[in-house]
């Protein structure tokens, strides 16, 4: 049953990432940095932080036995966000010798995700 729930929630997360990516690419067809994955990863960090704050009220390091963590934390947000695409896009900026864009993309992605996770977590604690 856990594998089934993980599959369904992961599929929904991947579809949500794809659809949001289509909207963003439609609005910004030629951005200076890869804004699609930047937006998806930062939004995913916010959502995961909100879930942790509201549901766990802490940041457990090992919650794999919890069904909601499996569904939302690993399934939905795991499929919604993507570190591998971020890494590929960052490497592509380096390959093109776009060093400033690379630094901005990496800094905004990493710091933005941490800040947004923290904001979501705090909001989750406050709301619930």
């Amino acid at each position: 049953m856990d594998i089934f729930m993980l599959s369904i929630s992961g599929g929904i997360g991947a579809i949500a990432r794809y659809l949001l990516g289509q909207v963003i690419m439609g609005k910004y067809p030629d951005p200076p940095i890869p804004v699609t994955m930047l937006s998806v990863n930062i939004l995913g960090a916010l959502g995961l932080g909100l879930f942790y704050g509201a549901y766990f009220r802490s940041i457990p390091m090992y919650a794999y036995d919890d069904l909601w963590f499996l569904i939302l934390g690993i399934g939905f947000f795991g499929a919604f966000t993507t570190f591998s695409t971020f890494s590929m896009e960052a490497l592509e900026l380096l390959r093109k010798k776009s060093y400033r864009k690379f630094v901005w993309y990496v800094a905004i992605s990493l710091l933005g995700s941490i800040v947004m996770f923290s904001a979501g977590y705090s909001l989750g604690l406050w709301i619930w």
Side-chain angles (χ1 to χ4, degrees), residues 26-80:
K27 291 186 182 284
Y28 305 102
D30 192 28
I33 61 173
V35 295
T36 301
M37 282 305 107
L38 174 66
S39 301
V40 164
N41 287 337
I42 287 177
L43 184 60
L46 175 69
L48 187 62
L50 185 63
F51 166 65
Y52 266 68
Y55 184 70
F56 288 114
R57 306 208 49 83
S58 67
I59 302 177
M61 298 307 288
Y62 302 102
Y64 292 94
D65 293 334
D66 186 278
L67 182 61
W68 284 109
F69 176 75
L70 182 70
I71 292 170
L72 291 174
I74 295 175
F76 180 82
F77 287 114
F80 183 74

Side-chain angles (χ1 to χ4, degrees), residues 20-122:
L20 180 59
Q22 291 297 308
V23 169
I24 293 169
M25 286 188 299
K27 291 186 182 284
Y28 305 102
D30 192 28
I33 61 173
V35 295
T36 301
M37 282 305 107
L38 174 66
S39 301
V40 164
N41 287 337
I42 287 177
L43 184 60
L46 175 69
L48 187 62
L50 185 63
F51 166 65
Y52 266 68
Y55 184 70
F56 288 114
R57 306 208 49 83
S58 67
I59 302 177
M61 298 307 288
Y62 302 102
Y64 292 94
D65 293 334
D66 186 278
L67 182 61
W68 284 109
F69 176 75
L70 182 70
I71 292 170
L72 291 174
I74 295 175
F76 180 82
F77 287 114
F80 183 74
T81 60
T82 172
F83 195 75
S84 57
T85 302
F86 157 75
S87 301
M88 182 270 306
E89 290 172 340
L91 206 56
E92 183 63 14
L93 289 172
L94 277 179
R95 190 188 69 72
K96 291 180 177 178
K97 297 183 174 151
S98 299
Y99 301 118
R100 259 190 203 156
K101 291 178 183 180
F102 167 81
V103 169
W104 278 109
Y105 181 55
V106 170
I108 294 169
S109 293
L110 295 178
L111 294 175
S113 292
I114 292 168
V115 166
M116 293 306 282
F117 179 88
S118 179
Y121 179 74
S122 296

